[in-house]
Amino acid sequence: DTEVTQTPKHLVMGMTNKKSLKCEQHMGHRAMYWYKQKAKKPPELMFVYSYEKLSINESVPSRFSPECPNSSLLNLHLHALQPEDSALYLCASSQFPGTGGGSYNEQFFGPGTRLTVL
Amino acid sequence: GQNIDQPTEMTATEGAIVQINCTYQTSGFNGLFWYQQHAGEAPTFLSYNVLDGLEEKGRFSSFLSRSKGYSYLLLKELQMKDSASYLCAVRGRDGGFKTIFGAGTRLFVKA
């Protein structure tokens, strides 16, 4: 299994809703990432989990709350979002988050969840 | 901090060769990636360079010069399906290690 899966594919939510995005990989990767991508812009890193611990939070507003229940799963809990949070949310994983070279640093991306906040 | 520059758009002809340049500034350089992204889809990995030189993989090659903070992606025998955005991403140290993406180069391949 060499893919990262994300659910749902599309999500429409109101500003008062609470929803969660899910990401799963079974490649034994120990680093998982959340990115946000607006149209015609590059992905922007939001969070990095390293060995199931949050290692990087790119000053993301608290209305986004990540969770890593185990080494295969990564969630992003959403609450009280704003319309400007509408974007494609990408999950990625890599074998190791550390300083190793070679293909270990390759990030595999999921297909993304397209989020619309009304 | 980290900074990555690449051209916004390029146009090339089917069957030709195109070179997409990327310049970067970063601390603690730990590798440079090229990703391809078709509109509405997730990025897919093309190449990874951590040492100076040329890495060849089929029709795609990637070059790195760490002393110059410079990389290029070379696409040969262009096909229409190569029309996509090409993202240069650099892994560096800013606190912990993280990967930052450039704005991407939109490549249009015409017949």
Side-chain angles (χ1 to χ4, degrees):
Chain A
D1 188 353
T2 58
E3 65 172 3
V4 177
T5 58
Q6 289 187 243
T7 54
K9 285 188 177 179
H10 301 275
L11 178 62
V12 179
M13 60 187 289
M15 290 189 285
T16 58
N17 292 157
K18 283 186 182 181
K19 297 286 184 184
S20 296
L21 309 185
K22 296 186 184 302
C23 174
E24 192 166 0
Q25 57 87 13
H26 294 288
M27 295 179 278
H29 288 176
R30 303 313 302 270
M32 295 186 77
Y33 310 76
W34 279 116
Y35 287 88
K36 171 184 176 180
Q37 187 174 26
K38 303 280 269 186
K40 299 185 180 180
K41 298 286 187 183
E44 296 174 29
L45 185 66
M46 298 174 72
F47 303 103
V48 181
Y49 271 83
S50 170
Y51 297 95
E52 296 144 62
K53 288 186 170 31
L54 183 65
S55 62
I56 293 175
N57 176 342
E58 288 288 273
S59 303
V60 179
S62 60
R63 57 186 185 268
F64 296 91
S65 174
E67 178 197 18
C68 189
N70 60 55
S71 60
S72 299
L73 293 174
L74 186 66
N75 298 322
L76 186 62
H77 303 298
L78 314 173
H79 174 55
L81 294 193
Q82 304 296 310
E84 59 263 29
D85 296 322
S86 298
L88 180 69
Y89 287 84
L90 294 163
C91 173
S93 70
S94 64
Q95 188 159 3
F96 297 113
T99 61
S103 63
Y104 293 150
N105 285 308
E106 175 185 348
Q107 291 185 25
F108 292 81
F109 283 84
T113 293
R114 189 159 298 281
L115 174 68
T116 303
V117 182
L118 302 176
Chain B
Q2 298 179 186
N3 188 51
I4 300 172
D5 287 308
Q6 48 182 134
T8 305
E9 286 186 1
M10 298 182 72
T11 301
T13 304
E14 194 175 19
I17 298 173
V18 71
Q19 178 175 313
I20 302 174
N21 295 325
C22 171
T23 57
Y24 66 88
Q25 287 129 15
T26 187
S27 311
F29 177 82
N30 189 238
L32 185 144
F33 302 82
W34 283 97
Y35 286 85
Q36 180 191 62
Q37 186 173 27
H38 286 97
E41 296 181 13
T44 56
F45 171 82
L46 291 178
S47 68
Y48 172 74
N49 295 69
V50 68
L51 299 176
D52 291 349
L54 188 68
E55 296 276 344
E56 297 186 77
K57 190 187 287 187
R59 292 190 299 116
F60 293 4
S61 303
S62 57
F63 171 83
L64 175 67
S65 169
R66 288 171 296 169
S67 63
K68 295 181 180 176
Y70 168 69
S71 172
Y72 67 73
L73 180 70
L74 195 71
L75 292 77
K76 302 176 188 173
E77 301 169 17
L78 279 175
Q79 302 174 10
M80 300 298 285
K81 67 178 182 179
D82 297 329
S83 294
S85 285
Y86 290 86
L87 303 168
C88 173
V90 173
R91 184 173 171 82
R93 185 185 282 280
D94 185 359
F97 276 97
K98 61 186 181 187
T99 302
I100 302 296
F101 285 77
T105 298
R106 293 187 72 195
L107 175 65
F108 298 94
V109 179
K110 58 182 183 180

